């Protein structure tokens, strides 16, 4: 039974592609009355220690996390790790490889866009950071340059599979990411299943099921973009596998206007009960 305490277990900071520092995200979580927030930056744990220090100062529970970029059956799959030990040597070695592959892919995506006729200068690209930015960051640049009306439009017009800027990802499988996370003391969750095979929920959930069968601990059953059907599908699968449930806004600050920490696009609510179940599993 939900106990009235609300949490957000999927949030990004300026250490990956968010617009707010780890401290600012935790301060916002406190302002919004959340009982807990997880910092889950893309392929980096750099913001965790700062966030946890802010949590201790403000009296809010901060869950150390990460969002792994993985590939399954040719599709991008994001895995959220929660309760991760950021100092785990195996995790950091894996992240070094992932970050290097991300830098190479980012360079190729930019060149693909230039080859397609878009005017992007080295100075433009430099505004994105040191090379570990995400496709969402690049889509944001396309908005600034007038090539897209929104980050979503930039992704769909230029950066998804089959579009001019797309570049295949070199990444671990979800099972490999799960093993790395488990060794780092973390739980592994399939994030936003509906984005795996876009516009095909059944195919997305089938891949999600394979990942759970391979050892993932659970999946996000509450997410900012879920409609009633998506949430029901996620809940049904969680019940079938007797797995853990997670949820969150996928907060990025200015990169996703209108998406609020804790409440998503207004009606998201992730109960503290989810976190309590995780703590029992970690024990």
């Amino acid at each position: 039974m939900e106990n009235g305490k609300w949490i957000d277990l999927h949030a990004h900071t300026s250490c990956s592609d968010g617009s707010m520092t780890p401290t600012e995200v935790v301060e916002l979580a406190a302002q919004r009355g959340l009982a807990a927030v997880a910092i889950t930056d893309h392929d980096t744990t750099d913001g965790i220690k700062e966030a946890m220090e802010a949590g201790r100062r403000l009296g809010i529970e901060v869950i150390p996390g990460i969002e792994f970029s993985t590939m399954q059956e040719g599709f991008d799959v994001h895995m959220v790790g929660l309760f991760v030990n950021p100092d785990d040597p195996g995790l950091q070695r894996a992240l070094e490889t992932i970050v290097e592959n991300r830098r190479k892919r980012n360079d190729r995506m930019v060149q693909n866009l230039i080859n397609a006729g878009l005017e992007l200068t080295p100075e433009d690209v430099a505004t994105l950071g040191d090379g570990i930015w995400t496709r969402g960051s690049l889509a944001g640049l396309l908005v600034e340059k007038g090539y897209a009306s929104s980050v979503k439009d930039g992704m769909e017009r230029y950066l998804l599979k089959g579009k001019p800027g797309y570049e295949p990802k070199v990444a671990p499988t979800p099972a490999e990411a799960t093993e790395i996370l488990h060794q780092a003391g973390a739980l592994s969750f399939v994030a936003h299943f509906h984005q795996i095979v876009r516009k095909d929920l059944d195919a997305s959930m089938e891949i999600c099921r394979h990942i759970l069968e391979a050892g993932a601990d659970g999946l996000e059953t509450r997410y900012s973009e879920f409609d009633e059907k998506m949430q029901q599908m996620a809940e049904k699968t969680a019940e079938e596998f007797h797995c853990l449930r997670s949820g969150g806004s996928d907060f990025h600050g200015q990169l996703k206007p209108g998406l609020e920490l804790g409440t998503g696009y207004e009606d998201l609510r992730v109960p503290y009960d989810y976190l309590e179940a995780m703590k029992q599993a970690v024990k």
Side-chain angles (χ1 to χ4, degrees):
M1 179 178 292
E2 298 176 6
N3 60 19
K5 294 166 62 177
W6 306 108
I7 60 178
D8 192 328
L9 299 180
H10 192 156
H12 297 274
T13 80
S14 54
C15 290
S16 64
D17 58 346
S19 63
M20 300 176 71
T21 67
T23 296
E24 289 170 338
V25 171
V26 177
E27 289 174 342
L28 181 60
Q31 292 169 14
R32 296 186 65 81
L34 295 177
V37 63
I39 301 302
T40 57
D41 282 320
H42 292 281
D43 301 326
T44 181
T45 58
D46 288 353
I48 288 177
K49 291 183 179 179
E50 178 186 333
M52 296 192 77
E53 175 58 34
R56 285 188 288 270
R57 176 169 54 83
L58 296 168
I60 182 169
E61 192 172 357
V62 175
I63 309 303
I66 190 169
E67 186 169 5
F68 255 113
S69 302
T70 75
M71 292 292 292
Q72 176 87 1
E73 300 174 31
F75 294 98
D76 291 346
V77 180
H78 288 190
M79 302 294 294
V80 167
L82 298 174
F83 296 97
V84 69
N85 172 11
D87 298 320
D88 180 77
L91 172 65
Q92 292 305 324
R93 284 194 298 270
L95 292 180
E96 288 175 5
T97 299
I98 290 171
V99 167
E100 182 57 29
N101 287 334
R102 181 188 289 278
R103 285 196 176 98
K104 292 177 180 178
R105 183 195 190 206
N106 287 350
D107 289 343
R108 289 192 290 266
M109 283 194 293
V110 170
Q111 190 59 51
N112 289 345
L113 292 172
I114 293 172
N115 292 344
L118 278 66
E119 296 183 4
L120 298 175
T121 68
E123 292 76 17
D124 291 330
V125 177
T127 65
L128 299 177
D130 65 358
I132 59 171
W133 39 266
T134 66
R135 282 188 297 174
S137 304
L138 183 54
L141 176 61
L142 297 181
V143 174
E144 293 177 17
K145 298 286 288 184
Y147 292 115
S149 60
S150 66
V151 170
K152 182 178 180 181
D153 180 51
M155 289 287 290
E156 294 179 346
R157 189 187 298 263
Y158 294 104
L159 299 174
L160 295 183
K161 192 172 184 179
K163 302 302 180 179
Y166 179 77
E167 184 69 28
K169 180 184 295 184
V170 177
T173 66
E176 290 168 340
T178 292
E179 182 177 359
I180 293 166
L181 289 168
H182 284 171
Q183 290 176 352
L187 299 170
S188 175
F189 295 85
V190 184
H192 39 63
F193 84 91
H194 69 304
Q195 295 182 13
I196 299 174
V197 185
R198 293 177 185 267
K199 300 182 180 180
D200 191 336
L201 292 179
D202 290 334
S204 293
M205 185 53 75
E206 187 61 23
I207 291 176
C208 181
R209 289 166 58 87
H210 293 165
I211 296 169
L212 290 169
E213 289 169 351
D217 300 292
L219 72 158
E220 288 182 338
T221 58
R222 301 195 185 187
Y223 182 74
S224 295
E225 296 178 359
F226 281 2
D227 57 23
E228 185 176 352
K229 179 180 180 180
M230 294 172 187
Q231 185 164 326
Q232 288 177 350
M233 289 179 70
E235 286 288 352
K236 181 178 179 181
T237 299
E239 291 174 6
E240 176 185 350
F241 281 85
H242 303 287
C243 68
L244 294 168
R245 295 165 169 81
S246 187
S249 63
D250 204 357
F251 178 75
H252 282 73
Q254 295 177 2
L255 185 64
K256 293 187 176 182
L259 192 156
E260 300 293 342
L261 187 70
T263 54
Y265 293 112
E266 293 187 357
D267 59 354
L268 178 71
R269 295 292 186 277
V270 181
Y272 193 86
D273 305 61
Y274 284 14
L275 193 55
E276 289 182 329
M278 294 179 200
K279 290 178 179 179
Q280 293 299 316
V282 169
K283 289 180 181 178

